[in-house]
C-alpha cells in the first residue's frame, strides 16, 4: 500500500489526483502531518508526501531502521513540479514510484541514485536475491573498472558493462557459496524441489528434509523457485507450510501427468496411494531439467516425506519490439522498457541507429543491413536459447510485415517470447490523412519477393470486390514499377476515378510529406518504397482536405441522394 500525505490545499489536490488514479494502491492519511507520516511509515510499503523534502527528512529520520526495512518515500513539491525519490530508491522502489507519480501528476521525477543517474541496472534491482559487496561492485561498474561476469547458470540478465576478467566479480549461481571479497552473488530461481508426503507429515519433517537435501548437495535455498507435488497433496499442511516458510509457490500436478514422467526411482507405494509411481522426482522433473538430488527420504522412522531437486536452466527471453513509424514520441513506453531490459539487441542497422541512445551501457548490439531478415531472426532466437534477454527490433509493429513472423517461425517452446506492439505505417499514415480506416480495411504488400504476384493480385481483387479500404505497403521500387499501376487498375474496376487516395511518405519522420488525390489522378511514378498508399472505398470522402471513411453506410446513401 502507498500512503499519501499532504498539508496544504494544493498538495491535497495533487494527492487526490493520485488517489483517484490508483484507488487500489493508495490510502490517504489525514490529520496532523507528523502523526500521518509516522502512521503511514509503519503501515505502508511506500509513501508519497506532498511536502517539502526538508520537512519529510526531519519527520522520518527518527523512524529509520535500515535500507531493506524502510519504505520508499517520494516527495512532491507544492507546485507539483518535481517528484523526488527521497528514501529507498532501490530497495523501497522509490525511484520507479517517482517516475510513476510524475506520469500521473505531471511532475518531473528526480532520481539521484548513482546507477540510475548513468542508466546502469542496479544490482539490487534485478529481482534476484543478492549477496556480497553490492556497493563495491556497483561503484566499480560506475567507475568503469573491469568487472567479470561468472555465470554458472544461464539467466536472462539486463545489460551490464562486464568483461571476462576483472578485479571485481558478479557471480550468478544457485550453489551454496559465500561471496568472496569484491564479489556479488546473484541467485536466480533455478531449483525446483519435488515433495511427497504421507498424510499428516509434520512441517518439521518436510522442511527439514528439503533443507538438508539442499545443504548436502551444496545448493542455495535462495534459488528455489517452487515446491512441487501431486494434486492430492495440494492441501497437505506440512507441504503447504514448508512452501510458505521457504517463500515460494506450491505447484501441483495431476497423478496422470506425473505418471507420464520418466524417473530413475519409481515406487509402488505412491502408485497405490495417489496413482503415480513417483511424486517427488516426477513433480520436480515434469518441466524438464537436470536431476541434482534423486529421491531421498526423511530420517524419521517411519519416513513420512520424500523430496528431489531439479535444476531448470533459465529460459531465454525474446522480445519482438515494434519501434513505430520513426518519431520518438510514437515509440511506446513498453517498447522503451524492453530496449532497456535487453542485454542483446538484434536489428537492421538503420533501426538500431534510431534507438541507440536508449540502450543501457553493456548492451551487445548485433546489427546487419537490408535483406538479412531471416538471418537476424535466427540470430535473435539463438541468443535467447543461450539464456540471454534479447530484443529483436522492427519498424512499425514488428508483427506487421516485419520481424515477428520469421522469428516465431524459428522459435520453439524452449524460450519465452514477448510481443511488443508498435504504431504501424498504415495507422501513422491514416492519422495524417484523417480517418480513412474508419470502416473495414486491409493492408496488402505489393512486394513479390516473398509472395508470388498471382497471390497478391488475387488478394487485391478480393479487396476491390468487397469494397474494402486498402493500404498498400512496399508499393513501388526501382525494380518493381508495374505492380502499383496493376493494383490500382484492379481497384478502378470497382471504384470511381473520384475515389479518394492518400499518399504519405516517411510518416512521422522529419521529412514527412502527404497529399490527398484520387484514384484517377494518382501518378504511380510519384510513389516509392518509403510511401504508404491508402485507397478509399465507395463511401470514403474528401472532407475539408481530410480523407474520411464513415463507420456505416447510411451517410453514403445520404451523400448519393444529394448528388
Amino acid at each position: 500500500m502507498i500512503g499519501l500525505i499532504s498539508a496544504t490545499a494544493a498538495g491535497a489536490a495533487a494527492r487526490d489526483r493520485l488517489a483517484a488514479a490508483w484507488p487500489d494502491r493508495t490510502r490517504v492519511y489525514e490529520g496532523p502531518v507528523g502523526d500521518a507520516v509516522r502512521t503511514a511509515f509503519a503501515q505502508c510499503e511506500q509513501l508519497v508526501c506532498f511536502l517539502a523534502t526538508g520537512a519529510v527528512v526531519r519527520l522520518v529520520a527518527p523512524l529509520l531502521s535500515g535500507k531493506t526495512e524502510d519504505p520508499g518515500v517520494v516527495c512532491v513539491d507544492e507546485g507539483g513540479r518535481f517528484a523526488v525519490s527521497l528514501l529507498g530508491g532501490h530497495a523501497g522502489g522509490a525511484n520507479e514510484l517517482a517516475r510513476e507519480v510524475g506520469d500521473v501528476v505531471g511532475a518531473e521525477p528526480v532520481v539521484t541514485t548513482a546507477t540510475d543517474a548513468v542508466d546502469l541496472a542496479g544490482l539490487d534491482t534485478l529481482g534476484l536475491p543478492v549477496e556480497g559487496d553490492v556497493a563495491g561492485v556497483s561503484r566499480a561498474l560506475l567507475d568503469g573498472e573491469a568487472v567479470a561476469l561468472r555465470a554458472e547458470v544461464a539467466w536472462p540478465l539486463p545489460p551490464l558493462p562486464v568483461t571476462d576478467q576483472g578485479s571485481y566479480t558478479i557471480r550468478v549461481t544457485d550453489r551454496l557459496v559465500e561471496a568472496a571479497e569484491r564479489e556479488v552473488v546473484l541467485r536466480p530461481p533455478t531449483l525446483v524441489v519435488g515433495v511427497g508426503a504421507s498424510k499428516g507429515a509434520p512441517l518439521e519433517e518436510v522442511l527439514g528434509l528439503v533443507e538438508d537435501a539442499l545443504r548436502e548437495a551444496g545448493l542455495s535455498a535462495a534459488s528455489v523457485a517452487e515446491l512441487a507435488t501431486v494434486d492430492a497433496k495440494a492441501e497437505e499442511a506440512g507441504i503447504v507450510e514448508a512452501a510458505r516458510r521457504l517463500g515460494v509457490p506450491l505447484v501441483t500436478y495431476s497423478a496422470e501427468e506425473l505418471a507420464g514422467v520418466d524417473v530413475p526411482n519409481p515406487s509402488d507405494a505412491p502408485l497405490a496411494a495417489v496413482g503415480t509411481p513417483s511424486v517427488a522426482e516426477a513433480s520436480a522433473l515434469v518441466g524438464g531439467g537436470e536431476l541434482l538430488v534423486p529421491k531421498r527420504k526423511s530420517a524419521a522412522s517411519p519416513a513420512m516425506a520424500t523430496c528431489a531437486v531439479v535444476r531448470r536452466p533459465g529460459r531465454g527471453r525474446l522480445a519482438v519490439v515494434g519501434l513505430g513509424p520513426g518519431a520518438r514520441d510514437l515509440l511506446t513506453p513498453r517498447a522503451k522498457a524492453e530496449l532497456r531490459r535487453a542485454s542483446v539487441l538484434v536489428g537492421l542497422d538503420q533501426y538500431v541507429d534510431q534507438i541507440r541512445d536508449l540502450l543501457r551501457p553493456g548492451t551487445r548490439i548485433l546489427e546487419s543491413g537490408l535483406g538479412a531478415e531471416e538471418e537476424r531472426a535466427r540470430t535473435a532466437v539463438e541468443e535467447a536459447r543461450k539464456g540471454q534477454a534479447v530484443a529483436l527490433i522492427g519498424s512499425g509493429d514488428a508483427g506487421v510485415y516485419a520481424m515477428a513472423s520469421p522469428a516465431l517461425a524459428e522459435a520453439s517452446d524452449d524460450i519465452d517470447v514477448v510481443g511488443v506492439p508498435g504504431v504501424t505505417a498504415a495507422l501513422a499514415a491514416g492519422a495524417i490523412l484523417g480517418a480513412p480506416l474508419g470502416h473495414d480495411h486491409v493492408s496488402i504488400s505489393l512486394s513479390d519477393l516473398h509472395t508470388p504476384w498471382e497471390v497478391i493480385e488475387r488478394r487485391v481483387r478480393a479487396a476491390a470486390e468487397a469494397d474494402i479500404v486498402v493500404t498498400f505497403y512496399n508499393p513501388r521500387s526501382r525494380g518493381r514499377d508495374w505492380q502499383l499501376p496493376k493494383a490500382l487498375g484492379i481497384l478502378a474496376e470497382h471504384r470511381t476515378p473520384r475515389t479518394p487516395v492518400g499518399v504519405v511518405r516517411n510518416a512521422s519522420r522529419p521529412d514527412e510529406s502527404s497529399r490527398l488525390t484520387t484514384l484517377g489522378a494518382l501518378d504511380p511514378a510519384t510513389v516509392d518504397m518509403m510511401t504508404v498508399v491508402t485507397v478509399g472505398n465507395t463511401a470514403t470522402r474528401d472532407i475539408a482536405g481530410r480523407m474520411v471513411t464513415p463507420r456505416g453506410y447510411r451517410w453514403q446513401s445520404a451523400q448519393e441522394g444529394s448528388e
Side-chain angles (χ1 to χ4, degrees):
M1 184 63 66
I2 303 171
L4 306 181
I5 302 104
S6 62
T8 65
R15 176 203 68 193
D16 291 344
R17 285 173 59 194
L18 199 61
W22 300 340
D24 299 326
R25 298 176 60 190
T26 58
R27 175 182 173 185
V28 173
Y29 285 79
E30 304 277 8
V33 170
D35 293 342
V37 169
R38 284 187 287 271
T39 303
F41 198 91
Q43 295 179 349
C44 298
E45 292 82 17
Q46 295 175 318
L47 279 69
V48 179
C49 301
F50 295 85
L51 306 164
T53 54
V56 178
V57 167
R58 287 190 292 272
L59 287 170
V60 302
L63 310 176
L64 301 180
S65 299
K67 182 176 181 179
T68 58
E69 293 84 17
D70 297 328
V73 179
V74 171
C75 292
V76 180
D77 66 285
E78 182 75 4
R81 297 171 300 168
F82 303 105
V84 182
S85 175
L86 183 69
L87 178 70
H90 284 170
N95 291 350
E96 183 58 32
L97 180 60
R99 297 183 182 99
E100 291 185 89
V101 170
D103 288 341
V104 174
V105 304
E108 179 73 20
V110 179
V111 176
T112 58
T113 309
T115 50
D116 291 75
V118 298
D119 209 20
L120 276 176
L123 297 175
D124 54 352
T125 67
L126 304 182
L128 303 178
V130 57
E131 303 167 11
D133 187 10
V134 176
V137 176
S138 297
R139 186 166 52 250
L141 290 170
L142 290 166
D143 291 343
E145 296 189 47
V147 178
L149 177 64
R150 291 178 55 193
E152 298 174 9
V153 291
W155 197 259
L157 295 174
L160 293 166
V162 293
T163 61
D164 293 332
Q165 294 183 339
S167 55
Y168 293 83
T169 305
I170 299 172
R171 186 176 181 183
V172 185
T173 183
D174 54 18
R175 307 298 302 181
L176 187 61
V177 296
E178 290 192 13
E181 186 179 359
R182 295 186 170 190
E183 182 178 67
V184 161
V185 174
L186 298 174
R187 302 200 179 278
T190 57
L191 304 178
V192 177
V193 180
V195 179
S198 302
K199 185 174 182 179
L203 164 67
E204 294 75 13
E205 185 172 346
V206 176
L207 186 59
L209 172 63
V210 171
E211 292 175 338
D212 289 346
L214 292 169
R215 183 178 59 256
E216 292 173 18
L219 301 170
S220 172
S223 284
V224 175
E226 62 190 44
L227 252 61
T229 192
V230 66
D231 284 346
K233 298 297 178 179
E235 297 182 6
E236 188 65 48
I239 297 178
V240 172
E241 182 61 17
R244 192 189 70 80
R245 293 281 187 92
L246 290 168
V248 298
L250 176 63
V251 178
T252 65
Y253 302 95
S254 68
E256 290 75 15
E257 286 180 277
L258 298 185
V261 178
D262 186 27
V263 298
N265 301 293
S267 172
D268 292 335
L271 179 61
V274 294
T276 172
S278 173
V279 173
E281 288 181 338
S283 59
L285 284 167
V286 69
E290 177 187 3
L291 183 63
L292 301 180
V293 180
K295 181 181 72 173
R296 58 179 288 174
K297 297 180 179 180
S298 57
S301 183
M304 299 184 71
T306 60
C307 82
V309 183
V310 164
R311 175 185 288 139
R312 289 182 188 169
R315 290 170 62 87
R317 189 175 192 275
L318 174 60
V320 187
V321 181
L323 301 180
R328 179 58 59 86
D329 60 355
L330 291 182
L331 178 66
T332 67
R334 187 179 298 179
K336 291 179 183 178
E338 289 294 346
L339 294 176
R340 290 165 51 80
R341 176 174 181 167
S343 60
V344 179
L345 182 86
V346 182
L348 179 67
D349 48 12
Q350 63 189 57
Y351 297 153
V352 172
D353 288 341
Q354 291 179 26
I355 48 82
R356 197 182 297 271
D357 62 302
L358 297 177
L359 305 178
R360 278 179 155 163
T363 305
R364 185 157 56 95
I365 300 173
L366 304 176
E367 54 188 316
S368 54
L370 287 168
E373 288 86 358
E374 293 181 357
E375 179 185 343
R376 284 194 291 275
R378 283 193 295 270
T379 297
V381 172
E382 288 169 2
E383 290 293 327
R385 285 185 174 138
K386 296 175 185 176
Q388 301 286 343
V390 182
L392 175 63
I393 59 174
S395 66
D397 183 289
V400 179
Y401 302 122
M403 294 305 301
S405 293
L408 268 61
E410 292 285 338
S412 51
D413 62 359
D414 56 345
I415 61 173
D416 295 326
V417 178
V418 178
V420 182
V423 178
T424 69
L427 297 180
I432 293 166
L433 294 170
L437 310 182
H439 208 291
D440 296 338
H441 55 274
V442 63
S443 295
I444 298 176
S445 171
L446 294 184
S447 172
D448 54 3
L449 293 178
H450 300 288
T451 307
W453 173 253
E454 294 76 14
V455 175
I456 296 173
E457 182 174 337
R458 188 165 66 248
R459 292 170 180 173
V460 174
R461 194 170 300 281
E465 293 174 353
D467 196 28
I468 295 175
V469 175
V470 182
T471 296
F472 288 122
Y473 281 70
N474 306 312
R476 184 176 181 273
S477 67
R478 291 178 182 177
R480 294 186 300 100
D481 58 359
W482 60 269
Q483 286 90 339
L484 180 59
K486 177 69 173 177
L488 295 174
I490 294 171
L491 292 175
E493 296 173 10
H494 300 270
R495 302 177 195 184
T496 71
R498 293 176 299 169
T499 302
V501 176
V503 181
V504 180
R505 188 177 191 277
N506 284 334
S508 88
R509 298 176 187 242
D511 56 346
E512 168 191 300
S513 65
S514 66
R515 69 184 189 278
L516 187 58
T517 181
T518 64
L519 186 58
L522 175 62
D523 180 5
T526 63
V527 173
D528 62 14
M529 284 291 287
M530 305 304 294
T531 306
V532 171
V533 177
T534 300
V535 182
N537 65 11
T538 56
T540 305
R541 294 292 183 269
D542 177 345
I543 301 178
R546 301 182 185 92
M547 189 175 177
V548 181
T549 302
R551 293 186 63 185
Y553 286 90
R554 288 175 294 179
W555 179 52
Q556 178 188 9
S557 300
Q559 288 282 333
E560 290 173 347
S562 65
E563 293 179 354

